[in-house]
Amino acid sequence: MKVGVLKELYPGERRVAATPETARRLIDKLGFQVMIESGAGNAASFPDVSYGEAGCQIVDDPSGVWDEADIVLKVRSPQEGEVSCLREGQTLVSVLAPGQNPDLLEQIAERKATALSIDAVPRISRAQKLDALSSMANIAGY
C-alpha cells in the first residue's frame, strides 16, 4: 500500500504531514511504501535527501502522488483544485474541520473517497497518536 505526502498549498503553512522519521516508521514498521512530493518538507527544514535516506520515493509533481497513493497525508484541508484529484477508494488524512466544512465533505463523498479528519479524533489515550494537538506538540510516540 502506498502513502503519499503532499506539499502544503495554504499560504504561509510551514508544516509537513510526515517527517523523515515518521516516514521511516511507516516503511519499516508498517510495510507501507511512502512517496513524497519534492520540496514538501523544505519549509519545515526536512530536505528531500532526508526523505530519500528514510526510504521514500521522491515525486516531482503532485499529480504523481495523487495518481499513485492509496492514502494521501496533508496537514491542511484540500485547497482549490485538490479535491478533484481524489480517486474513488482513495483515503485522505488531514485537518478537515468537518463541522465547519460540510461542502468539502460532500465533495469528498462525491469522489467516493474516504476522509479521516485528524482534528475530529477524540483526545483519549489510545487515540493520542492520531490526535492533532498531541502530534503537533510531538508528544505522541510510536
Side-chain angles (χ1 to χ4, degrees), residues 11-26:
E13 180 60 71
R14 300 180 56 83
R15 297 174 293 173
V16 62
T19 67
E21 181 56 33
T22 57
R24 182 183 308 275
R25 289 178 186 162
L26 289 170

Side-chain angles (χ1 to χ4, degrees), residues 2 5-6 23 52 55 74 101 121:
K2 291 183 181 180
V5 180
L6 291 162
K74 289 184 52 58
N101 293 308
V121 174

